[in-house]
Amino acid sequence: MGCGNVFFTLIITLSVALITYNILISANASLKQELPGPSTSSIIDPIIQMPVEKSRKYGSNAEKRLFHTAVTASDSVYNTWQCRVMYYWFKKHKNGPNSDMGGFTRILHSGKPDNYMNEIPTFIAQPLPAGMDQGYIVLNRPWAFVQWLQKADIKEEYEIPDFLIFYILMAEPDHIIVKPIPNLSKDGLGAAFPFFYIEPKKYESVLRKYFPEEKGPITNIDPIGNSPVIVGKDSLKKIAPTWMNVSLAMKKDPETDKAFGWVLEMYAYAVSSALHGVGNILYKDFMIQPPWDTEIGNKFIIHYTYGCDYDLKGRLTYGKIGEWRFDKRSFDTEAPPRNLPLPPPGVPESVVTLVKMVNEATSNIPNWGS
């Protein structure tokens, strides 16, 4: 594709994104708010270099480079029980050795409080207007982050002023923290988990609609999603509106939507991070994903996105419902009961640990299943 065609395509794409955003904020008066950043006179946020971290000498807690953990969620039963388990383990490891874990926020994009406001620190975000997500509920995630970053007063529980909190960990409800997490970002770079199925080079022709050639090689787009990512707070404030607009533009484009499917919003974050010049350390030990990853090792997070199916001899039967199974989707309308049966002998450590950690959390969280 020639440079002229690329430029024309980019202009069309940005126009779609801006029109989409204007429709979004006009569809519901309560959503009208200006985007974060140095200028609010235009929807197009400037591309700005990664801010240089300031030297801090404010005591041992500040020197720890604390990050604030943020998790987006709906008010569904499915998301809620996962958030409760996730927050239980966050609290268990927050003050552990080598931890840089600060505060925690569940960004609830249902637009209204639920019954767990007193259990989990929560910010209420407005959902996208009806139909805007086109059945792809994940599009609410970037819009929720835009609202939270603009309105929230992100302070930690160490009497440290808000302006000294430089980092955000974006996590998900189906993450279980296995051990205390240090701030893995450094030297002006974010820290992110590389996903094997995020392949910018393979989809270069599609991604050039959103990442023009003048921005550099397609390899500037890291093979990441938005989670887990530890990133500078100021950088995320600049990335988030772009992430939202690119997500909506990608969803509206049939070619892009077909190419990326359920990981579309992940590609949108990777593109937006690259557009703002925010690179990432690709940290494979950030998390594991059972049943494919079988050992905990030095990992920090278990991501239980896949179903775990085994026969009674401990053999994986993926693609076929096992005689023993754990799949979060089995609990979409009601929370899992306490004391789930443990896997049979021979099942990998990662799966056994996952079920044991879910059981410990549900046994200790008050009013579980009520």
Side-chain angles (χ1 to χ4, degrees):
M1 183 181 291
C3 292
N5 288 337
V6 170
F7 180 76
F8 178 78
T9 302
L10 177 64
I11 292 299
I12 293 298
T13 300
L14 290 177
S15 298
V16 170
L18 300 187
I19 291 169
T20 299
Y21 183 80
N22 286 329
I23 293 172
L24 188 154
I25 61 173
S26 63
N28 189 325
S30 65
L31 300 186
K32 291 185 178 180
Q33 55 180 285
E34 295 180 328
L35 297 178
S39 173
T40 58
S41 60
S42 172
I43 296 299
I44 302 178
D45 49 326
I47 307 302
I48 303 174
Q49 295 298 314
M50 180 77 174
V52 178
E53 181 183 347
K54 298 177 181 178
S55 175
R56 291 178 287 166
K57 297 180 180 179
Y58 295 92
S60 60
N61 285 323
E63 291 168 359
K64 288 176 67 176
R65 301 195 311 139
L66 297 176
F67 56 79
H68 190 103
T69 300
V71 179
T72 57
S74 72
D75 60 358
S76 67
V77 171
Y78 178 70
N79 263 184
T80 301
W81 71 256
Q82 293 172 43
C83 283
R84 298 179 77 192
V85 171
M86 198 269 189
Y87 185 55
Y88 172 85
W89 285 105
F90 170 88
K91 291 187 294 181
K92 287 271 288 190
H93 292 302
K94 174 181 175 180
N95 296 319
N98 302 315
S99 171
D100 287 322
M101 299 160 65
F104 184 100
T105 299
R106 175 183 61 150
I107 308 174
L108 186 63
H109 52 71
S110 61
K112 60 184 185 300
D114 66 2
N115 294 330
Y116 301 95
M117 304 293 291
N118 293 328
E119 180 179 322
I120 309 173
T122 300
F123 172 86
I124 303 298
Q126 297 300 314
L128 290 167
M132 185 65 73
D133 64 11
Q134 302 176 64
Y136 182 52
I137 194 172
V138 182
L139 287 181
N140 281 285
R141 182 177 294 155
W143 173 229
F145 266 106
V146 167
Q147 296 173 72
W148 177 64
L149 288 164
Q150 182 181 14
K151 290 186 174 183
D153 187 17
I154 306 169
K155 289 184 173 66
E156 306 303 343
E157 298 171 8
Y158 296 91
E159 298 181 352
I160 300 176
D162 181 41
F163 72 87
L164 292 179
I165 304 303
F166 288 107
Y167 304 96
I168 305 294
L169 165 61
M170 292 185 286
E172 296 184 15
D174 60 352
H175 286 177
I176 289 182
I177 297 172
V178 178
K179 65 179 183 179
I181 305 175
N183 191 335
L184 302 171
S185 66
K186 63 180 180 179
D187 300 329
L189 298 170
F193 178 80
F195 291 90
F196 71 89
Y197 49 78
I198 302 298
E199 304 176 275
K201 186 65 177 177
K202 178 179 178 180
Y203 294 102
E204 179 170 3
S205 62
V206 175
L207 291 171
R208 285 302 185 188
K209 296 179 181 182
Y210 316 95
F211 191 78
E213 291 183 2
E214 56 264 30
K215 297 303 298 180
I218 206 69
T219 51
N220 284 358
I221 301 175
D222 293 323
I224 64 172
N226 77 290
S227 173
V229 171
I230 299 175
V231 64
K233 181 177 69 175
D234 288 342
S235 292
L236 187 56
K237 283 183 176 180
K238 297 161 190 170
I239 292 170
T242 308
W243 174 26
M244 181 188 68
N245 280 334
V246 171
S247 296
L248 291 169
M250 283 183 169
K251 189 63 181 175
K252 281 184 171 291
D253 180 68
E255 181 187 16
T256 309
D257 191 23
K258 181 179 178 180
F260 296 155
W262 66 274
V263 297
L264 179 149
E265 169 266 344
M266 297 172 69
Y267 272 100
Y269 180 84
V271 167
S272 302
S273 184
L275 285 171
H276 285 274
V278 180
N280 295 277
I281 301 167
L282 302 180
Y283 203 87
K284 290 184 178 180
D285 281 347
F286 214 147
M287 72 178 187
I288 60 169
Q289 301 185 97
W292 309 120
D293 299 309
T294 58
E295 297 180 356
I296 301 295
N298 294 320
K299 310 304 190 292
F300 296 99
I301 293 170
I302 295 175
H303 181 207
Y304 55 101
T305 189
Y306 299 108
C308 300
D309 288 274
Y310 293 86
D311 64 22
L312 295 182
K313 294 182 179 180
R315 295 176 299 198
L316 182 66
T317 63
Y318 195 79
K320 177 183 177 182
I321 294 178
E323 295 173 280
W324 180 94
R325 75 182 322 234
F326 175 79
D327 188 338
K328 64 178 183 178
R329 295 162 192 84
S330 300
F331 308 104
D332 58 343
T333 59
E334 62 180 3
R338 286 174 165 160
N339 300 316
L340 290 168
L342 294 178
V347 171
E349 173 199 26
S350 62
V351 179
V352 175
T353 302
L354 166 61
V355 178
K356 285 183 176 179
M357 294 184 79
V358 170
N359 280 347
E360 178 179 331
T362 60
S363 295
N364 288 281
I365 295 173
N367 303 314
W368 184 264
S370 63

